[in-house]
PDB file of all heavy atoms in Angstrom:
ATOM      1  N   VAL B  34     142.869 186.267 259.591  1.00 97.00           N
ATOM      2  CA  VAL B  34     142.252 185.496 258.506  1.00 97.00           C
ATOM      3  C   VAL B  34     142.162 184.003 258.824  1.00 97.00           C
ATOM      4  O   VAL B  34     141.933 183.192 257.935  1.00 97.00           O
ATOM      5  CB  VAL B  34     142.955 185.735 257.141  1.00 97.00           C
ATOM      6  CG1 VAL B  34     142.832 187.198 256.725  1.00 97.00           C
ATOM      7  CG2 VAL B  34     144.407 185.299 257.167  1.00 97.00           C
ATOM      8  N   ASP B  36     140.412 180.647 260.040  1.00 91.00           N
ATOM      9  CA  ASP B  36     139.047 180.215 259.769  1.00 91.00           C
ATOM     10  C   ASP B  36     138.353 179.858 261.081  1.00 91.00           C
ATOM     11  O   ASP B  36     138.235 180.688 261.956  1.00 91.00           O
ATOM     12  CB  ASP B  36     139.053 179.078 258.744  1.00 91.00           C
ATOM     13  CG  ASP B  36     139.651 179.552 257.412  1.00 91.00           C
ATOM     14  OD1 ASP B  36     139.268 180.626 256.943  1.00 91.00           O
ATOM     15  OD2 ASP B  36     140.514 178.845 256.867  1.00 91.00           O
ATOM     16  N   TYR B  51     138.267 188.167 259.123  1.00 96.00           N
ATOM     17  CA  TYR B  51     137.824 187.883 257.755  1.00 96.00           C
ATOM     18  C   TYR B  51     138.439 186.544 257.368  1.00 96.00           C
ATOM     19  O   TYR B  51     139.599 186.494 256.955  1.00 96.00           O
ATOM     20  CB  TYR B  51     138.244 189.001 256.782  1.00 96.00           C
ATOM     21  CG  TYR B  51     137.443 190.252 257.010  1.00 96.00           C
ATOM     22  CD1 TYR B  51     137.838 191.180 257.977  1.00 96.00           C
ATOM     23  CD2 TYR B  51     136.267 190.483 256.317  1.00 96.00           C
ATOM     24  CE1 TYR B  51     137.074 192.317 258.223  1.00 96.00           C
ATOM     25  CE2 TYR B  51     135.500 191.619 256.557  1.00 96.00           C
ATOM     26  CZ  TYR B  51     135.911 192.525 257.515  1.00 96.00           C
ATOM     27  OH  TYR B  51     135.156 193.645 257.765  1.00 96.00           O
ATOM     28  N   ALA B  52     137.686 185.475 257.542  1.00 95.00           N
ATOM     29  CA  ALA B  52     138.190 184.116 257.315  1.00 95.00           C
ATOM     30  C   ALA B  52     138.748 183.956 255.907  1.00 95.00           C
ATOM     31  O   ALA B  52     138.191 184.468 254.931  1.00 95.00           O
ATOM     32  CB  ALA B  52     137.081 183.100 257.558  1.00 95.00           C
ATOM     33  N   SER B  53     139.867 183.231 255.820  1.00 97.00           N
ATOM     34  CA  SER B  53     140.545 183.070 254.534  1.00 97.00           C
ATOM     35  C   SER B  53     139.684 182.357 253.497  1.00 97.00           C
ATOM     36  O   SER B  53     139.794 182.647 252.312  1.00 97.00           O
ATOM     37  CB  SER B  53     141.868 182.320 254.711  1.00 97.00           C
ATOM     38  OG  SER B  53     141.638 180.995 255.135  1.00 97.00           O
ATOM     39  N   ASP B  54     138.816 181.448 253.935  1.00 95.00           N
ATOM     40  CA  ASP B  54     138.033 180.679 252.959  1.00 95.00           C
ATOM     41  C   ASP B  54     136.993 181.532 252.230  1.00 95.00           C
ATOM     42  O   ASP B  54     136.522 181.152 251.159  1.00 95.00           O
ATOM     43  CB  ASP B  54     137.395 179.436 253.590  1.00 95.00           C
ATOM     44  CG  ASP B  54     136.465 179.735 254.749  1.00 95.00           C
ATOM     45  OD1 ASP B  54     136.354 180.902 255.166  1.00 95.00           O
ATOM     46  OD2 ASP B  54     135.837 178.789 255.262  1.00 95.00           O
ATOM     47  N   THR B  55     136.650 182.699 252.759  1.00 96.00           N
ATOM     48  CA  THR B  55     135.710 183.595 252.072  1.00 96.00           C
ATOM     49  C   THR B  55     136.312 184.992 251.876  1.00 96.00           C
ATOM     50  O   THR B  55     135.595 185.938 251.542  1.00 96.00           O
ATOM     51  CB  THR B  55     134.399 183.737 252.883  1.00 96.00           C
ATOM     52  OG1 THR B  55     134.715 184.226 254.193  1.00 96.00           O
ATOM     53  CG2 THR B  55     133.651 182.415 252.979  1.00 96.00           C
ATOM     54  N   PHE B  56     137.615 185.110 252.068  1.00 98.00           N
ATOM     55  CA  PHE B  56     138.254 186.422 252.069  1.00 98.00           C
ATOM     56  C   PHE B  56     138.030 187.206 250.780  1.00 98.00           C
ATOM     57  O   PHE B  56     137.702 188.390 250.823  1.00 98.00           O
ATOM     58  CB  PHE B  56     139.760 186.298 252.358  1.00 98.00           C
ATOM     59  CG  PHE B  56     140.438 187.627 252.464  1.00 98.00           C
ATOM     60  CD1 PHE B  56     140.314 188.380 253.621  1.00 98.00           C
ATOM     61  CD2 PHE B  56     141.180 188.144 251.411  1.00 98.00           C
ATOM     62  CE1 PHE B  56     140.905 189.628 253.728  1.00 98.00           C
ATOM     63  CE2 PHE B  56     141.785 189.387 251.513  1.00 98.00           C
ATOM     64  CZ  PHE B  56     141.647 190.128 252.671  1.00 98.00           C
ATOM     65  N   SER B  57     138.219 186.569 249.641  1.00 97.00           N
ATOM     66  CA  SER B  57     138.152 187.312 248.371  1.00 97.00           C
ATOM     67  C   SER B  57     136.801 188.009 248.184  1.00 97.00           C
ATOM     68  O   SER B  57     136.761 189.133 247.689  1.00 97.00           O
ATOM     69  CB  SER B  57     138.453 186.402 247.181  1.00 97.00           C
ATOM     70  OG  SER B  57     137.496 185.381 247.092  1.00 97.00           O
ATOM     71  N   GLU B  58     135.731 187.389 248.610  1.00 97.00           N
ATOM     72  CA  GLU B  58     134.417 188.016 248.439  1.00 97.00           C
ATOM     73  C   GLU B  58     134.108 189.061 249.519  1.00 97.00           C
ATOM     74  O   GLU B  58     133.185 189.849 249.372  1.00 97.00           O
ATOM     75  CB  GLU B  58     133.317 186.960 248.384  1.00 97.00           C
ATOM     76  CG  GLU B  58     133.233 186.090 249.611  1.00 97.00           C
ATOM     77  CD  GLU B  58     132.613 184.730 249.366  1.00 97.00           C
ATOM     78  OE1 GLU B  58     133.072 184.009 248.474  1.00 97.00           O
ATOM     79  OE2 GLU B  58     131.665 184.409 250.102  1.00 97.00           O
ATOM     80  N   LYS B  59     134.901 189.085 250.565  1.00 97.00           N
ATOM     81  CA  LYS B  59     134.679 190.020 251.679  1.00 97.00           C
ATOM     82  C   LYS B  59     135.608 191.241 251.648  1.00 97.00           C
ATOM     83  O   LYS B  59     135.533 192.097 252.523  1.00 97.00           O
ATOM     84  CB  LYS B  59     134.865 189.304 253.019  1.00 97.00           C
ATOM     85  CG  LYS B  59     133.976 188.117 253.227  1.00 97.00           C
ATOM     86  CD  LYS B  59     132.592 188.535 253.594  1.00 97.00           C
ATOM     87  CE  LYS B  59     131.763 187.289 253.922  1.00 97.00           C
ATOM     88  NZ  LYS B  59     130.431 187.623 254.286  1.00 97.00           N
ATOM     89  N   ILE B  60     136.482 191.329 250.646  1.00 97.00           N
ATOM     90  CA  ILE B  60     137.419 192.454 250.589  1.00 97.00           C
ATOM     91  C   ILE B  60     136.705 193.809 250.608  1.00 97.00           C
ATOM     92  O   ILE B  60     137.121 194.711 251.337  1.00 97.00           O
ATOM     93  CB  ILE B  60     138.387 192.322 249.390  1.00 97.00           C
ATOM     94  CG1 ILE B  60     139.341 191.136 249.629  1.00 97.00           C
ATOM     95  CG2 ILE B  60     139.187 193.611 249.196  1.00 97.00           C
ATOM     96  CD1 ILE B  60     140.266 190.834 248.463  1.00 97.00           C
ATOM     97  N   PRO B  61     135.611 194.002 249.852  1.00 96.00           N
ATOM     98  CA  PRO B  61     134.926 195.304 249.928  1.00 96.00           C
ATOM     99  C   PRO B  61     134.439 195.615 251.352  1.00 96.00           C
ATOM    100  O   PRO B  61     134.516 196.769 251.793  1.00 96.00           O
ATOM    101  CB  PRO B  61     133.754 195.158 248.949  1.00 96.00           C
ATOM    102  CG  PRO B  61     134.229 194.116 247.975  1.00 96.00           C
ATOM    103  CD  PRO B  61     135.035 193.144 248.798  1.00 96.00           C
ATOM    104  N   ASP B  62     133.970 194.596 252.085  1.00 96.00           N
ATOM    105  CA  ASP B  62     133.535 194.798 253.469  1.00 96.00           C
ATOM    106  C   ASP B  62     134.715 195.197 254.351  1.00 96.00           C
ATOM    107  O   ASP B  62     134.595 196.067 255.214  1.00 96.00           O
ATOM    108  CB  ASP B  62     132.896 193.520 254.037  1.00 96.00           C
ATOM    109  CG  ASP B  62     131.642 193.110 253.300  1.00 96.00           C
ATOM    110  OD1 ASP B  62     131.011 193.965 252.649  1.00 96.00           O
ATOM    111  OD2 ASP B  62     131.284 191.912 253.371  1.00 96.00           O
ATOM    112  N   LEU B  63     135.851 194.549 254.137  1.00 97.00           N
ATOM    113  CA  LEU B  63     137.054 194.876 254.901  1.00 97.00           C
ATOM    114  C   LEU B  63     137.461 196.327 254.640  1.00 97.00           C
ATOM    115  O   LEU B  63     137.775 197.063 255.575  1.00 97.00           O
ATOM    116  CB  LEU B  63     138.204 193.924 254.553  1.00 97.00           C
ATOM    117  CG  LEU B  63     139.576 194.266 255.149  1.00 97.00           C
ATOM    118  CD1 LEU B  63     139.525 194.319 256.672  1.00 97.00           C
ATOM    119  CD2 LEU B  63     140.619 193.266 254.684  1.00 97.00           C
ATOM    120  N   LEU B  64     137.440 196.734 253.384  1.00 96.00           N
ATOM    121  CA  LEU B  64     137.796 198.117 253.057  1.00 96.00           C
ATOM    122  C   LEU B  64     136.919 199.119 253.805  1.00 96.00           C
ATOM    123  O   LEU B  64     137.407 200.133 254.291  1.00 96.00           O
ATOM    124  CB  LEU B  64     137.685 198.363 251.554  1.00 96.00           C
ATOM    125  CG  LEU B  64     138.972 198.229 250.771  1.00 96.00           C
ATOM    126  CD1 LEU B  64     138.713 198.405 249.289  1.00 96.00           C
ATOM    127  CD2 LEU B  64     140.023 199.198 251.243  1.00 96.00           C
ATOM    128  N   PHE B  75     148.102 191.650 258.541  1.00 98.00           N
ATOM    129  CA  PHE B  75     147.388 190.387 258.390  1.00 98.00           C
ATOM    130  C   PHE B  75     148.085 189.285 259.177  1.00 98.00           C
ATOM    131  O   PHE B  75     149.303 189.297 259.330  1.00 98.00           O
ATOM    132  CB  PHE B  75     147.370 189.964 256.912  1.00 98.00           C
ATOM    133  CG  PHE B  75     146.430 190.763 256.064  1.00 98.00           C
ATOM    134  CD1 PHE B  75     146.764 192.034 255.624  1.00 98.00           C
ATOM    135  CD2 PHE B  75     145.199 190.240 255.699  1.00 98.00           C
ATOM    136  CE1 PHE B  75     145.902 192.776 254.839  1.00 98.00           C
ATOM    137  CE2 PHE B  75     144.325 190.972 254.909  1.00 98.00           C
ATOM    138  CZ  PHE B  75     144.675 192.241 254.475  1.00 98.00           C
ATOM    139  N   ARG B  83     147.943 181.332 254.786  1.00 97.00           N
ATOM    140  CA  ARG B  83     146.703 182.120 254.688  1.00 97.00           C
ATOM    141  C   ARG B  83     146.930 183.617 254.877  1.00 97.00           C
ATOM    142  O   ARG B  83     146.405 184.425 254.104  1.00 97.00           O
ATOM    143  CB  ARG B  83     145.659 181.617 255.695  1.00 97.00           C
ATOM    144  CG  ARG B  83     145.171 180.210 255.391  1.00 97.00           C
ATOM    145  CD  ARG B  83     144.244 179.696 256.457  1.00 97.00           C
ATOM    146  NE  ARG B  83     144.980 179.537 257.729  1.00 97.00           N
ATOM    147  CZ  ARG B  83     144.419 179.141 258.865  1.00 97.00           C
ATOM    148  NH1 ARG B  83     143.121 178.894 258.918  1.00 97.00           N
ATOM    149  NH2 ARG B  83     145.149 179.010 259.953  1.00 97.00           N
ATOM    150  N   SER B  86     148.821 185.046 251.863  1.00 97.00           N
ATOM    151  CA  SER B  86     147.980 184.925 250.660  1.00 97.00           C
ATOM    152  C   SER B  86     146.871 185.972 250.654  1.00 97.00           C
ATOM    153  O   SER B  86     146.619 186.616 249.630  1.00 97.00           O
ATOM    154  CB  SER B  86     147.349 183.530 250.571  1.00 97.00           C
ATOM    155  OG  SER B  86     148.340 182.559 250.406  1.00 97.00           O
ATOM    156  N   CYS B  87     146.216 186.142 251.786  1.00 98.00           N
ATOM    157  CA  CYS B  87     145.143 187.140 251.864  1.00 98.00           C
ATOM    158  C   CYS B  87     145.711 188.552 251.748  1.00 98.00           C
ATOM    159  O   CYS B  87     145.096 189.413 251.118  1.00 98.00           O
ATOM    160  CB  CYS B  87     144.348 186.976 253.156  1.00 98.00           C
ATOM    161  SG  CYS B  87     143.335 185.474 253.176  1.00 98.00           S
ATOM    162  N   ALA B  88     146.871 188.795 252.331  1.00 98.00           N
ATOM    163  CA  ALA B  88     147.501 190.115 252.221  1.00 98.00           C
ATOM    164  C   ALA B  88     147.826 190.424 250.761  1.00 98.00           C
ATOM    165  O   ALA B  88     147.582 191.548 250.291  1.00 98.00           O
ATOM    166  CB  ALA B  88     148.765 190.171 253.079  1.00 98.00           C
ATOM    167  N   ARG B  89     148.338 189.440 250.025  1.00 97.00           N
ATOM    168  CA  ARG B  89     148.636 189.643 248.596  1.00 97.00           C
ATOM    169  C   ARG B  89     147.361 189.872 247.794  1.00 97.00           C
ATOM    170  O   ARG B  89     147.322 190.710 246.889  1.00 97.00           O
ATOM    171  CB  ARG B  89     149.412 188.453 248.040  1.00 97.00           C
ATOM    172  CG  ARG B  89     150.860 188.476 248.446  1.00 97.00           C
ATOM    173  CD  ARG B  89     151.681 187.389 247.756  1.00 97.00           C
ATOM    174  NE  ARG B  89     152.961 187.286 248.416  1.00 97.00           N
ATOM    175  CZ  ARG B  89     153.255 186.416 249.382  1.00 97.00           C
ATOM    176  NH1 ARG B  89     152.349 185.550 249.781  1.00 97.00           N
ATOM    177  NH2 ARG B  89     154.441 186.409 249.943  1.00 97.00           N
ATOM    178  N   MET B  90     146.312 189.114 248.120  1.00 97.00           N
ATOM    179  CA  MET B  90     145.028 189.282 247.446  1.00 97.00           C
ATOM    180  C   MET B  90     144.498 190.703 247.682  1.00 97.00           C
ATOM    181  O   MET B  90     143.990 191.347 246.756  1.00 97.00           O
ATOM    182  CB  MET B  90     144.036 188.253 248.024  1.00 97.00           C
ATOM    183  CG  MET B  90     142.863 187.942 247.164  1.00 97.00           C
ATOM    184  SD  MET B  90     141.748 186.727 247.953  1.00 97.00           S
ATOM    185  CE  MET B  90     142.845 185.381 248.345  1.00 97.00           C
ATOM    186  N   PHE B  91     144.660 191.191 248.904  1.00 97.00           N
ATOM    187  CA  PHE B  91     144.235 192.545 249.244  1.00 97.00           C
ATOM    188  C   PHE B  91     145.053 193.579 248.466  1.00 97.00           C
ATOM    189  O   PHE B  91     144.504 194.544 247.931  1.00 97.00           O
ATOM    190  CB  PHE B  91     144.355 192.764 250.757  1.00 97.00           C
ATOM    191  CG  PHE B  91     143.792 194.072 251.218  1.00 97.00           C
ATOM    192  CD1 PHE B  91     142.422 194.257 251.328  1.00 97.00           C
ATOM    193  CD2 PHE B  91     144.629 195.129 251.542  1.00 97.00           C
ATOM    194  CE1 PHE B  91     141.897 195.473 251.752  1.00 97.00           C
ATOM    195  CE2 PHE B  91     144.120 196.335 251.971  1.00 97.00           C
ATOM    196  CZ  PHE B  91     142.742 196.512 252.075  1.00 97.00           C
ATOM    197  N   ASP B  93     146.505 193.131 245.585  1.00 95.00           N
ATOM    198  CA  ASP B  93     146.056 193.061 244.191  1.00 95.00           C
ATOM    199  C   ASP B  93     144.757 193.852 244.007  1.00 95.00           C
ATOM    200  O   ASP B  93     144.597 194.580 243.027  1.00 95.00           O
ATOM    201  CB  ASP B  93     145.848 191.608 243.754  1.00 95.00           C
ATOM    202  CG  ASP B  93     147.152 190.846 243.606  1.00 95.00           C
ATOM    203  OD1 ASP B  93     148.234 191.485 243.569  1.00 95.00           O
ATOM    204  OD2 ASP B  93     147.098 189.598 243.555  1.00 95.00           O
ATOM    205  N   TYR B  94     143.850 193.684 244.962  1.00 95.00           N
ATOM    206  CA  TYR B  94     142.578 194.406 244.900  1.00 95.00           C
ATOM    207  C   TYR B  94     142.825 195.913 244.923  1.00 95.00           C
ATOM    208  O   TYR B  94     142.237 196.660 244.143  1.00 95.00           O
ATOM    209  CB  TYR B  94     141.688 193.978 246.070  1.00 95.00           C
ATOM    210  CG  TYR B  94     140.303 194.556 246.037  1.00 95.00           C
ATOM    211  CD1 TYR B  94     139.267 193.896 245.377  1.00 95.00           C
ATOM    212  CD2 TYR B  94     140.009 195.766 246.675  1.00 95.00           C
ATOM    213  CE1 TYR B  94     137.981 194.424 245.358  1.00 95.00           C
ATOM    214  CE2 TYR B  94     138.735 196.299 246.653  1.00 95.00           C
ATOM    215  CZ  TYR B  94     137.726 195.628 245.998  1.00 95.00           C
ATOM    216  OH  TYR B  94     136.460 196.162 245.966  1.00 95.00           O
ATOM    217  N   GLU B  97     144.008 197.382 241.680  1.00 92.00           N
ATOM    218  CA  GLU B  97     142.995 197.435 240.625  1.00 92.00           C
ATOM    219  C   GLU B  97     141.938 198.516 240.868  1.00 92.00           C
ATOM    220  O   GLU B  97     141.139 198.801 239.979  1.00 92.00           O
ATOM    221  CB  GLU B  97     142.321 196.071 240.480  1.00 92.00           C
ATOM    222  CG  GLU B  97     143.283 195.003 239.976  1.00 92.00           C
ATOM    223  CD  GLU B  97     142.714 193.602 240.062  1.00 92.00           C
ATOM    224  OE1 GLU B  97     141.510 193.461 240.379  1.00 92.00           O
ATOM    225  OE2 GLU B  97     143.473 192.662 239.825  1.00 92.00           O
TER     226      GLU B  97
END
Side-chain angles (χ1 to χ4, degrees):
V34 298
D36 298 313
Y51 288 86
S53 66
D54 59 355
T55 58
F56 184 78
S57 62
E58 59 205 54
K59 302 282 185 180
I60 292 175
D62 297 338
L63 172 59
L64 264 176
F75 286 78
R83 294 175 294 178
S86 295
C87 290
R89 283 187 193 95
M90 201 181 306
F91 187 76
D93 289 346
Y94 186 89
E97 294 170 8

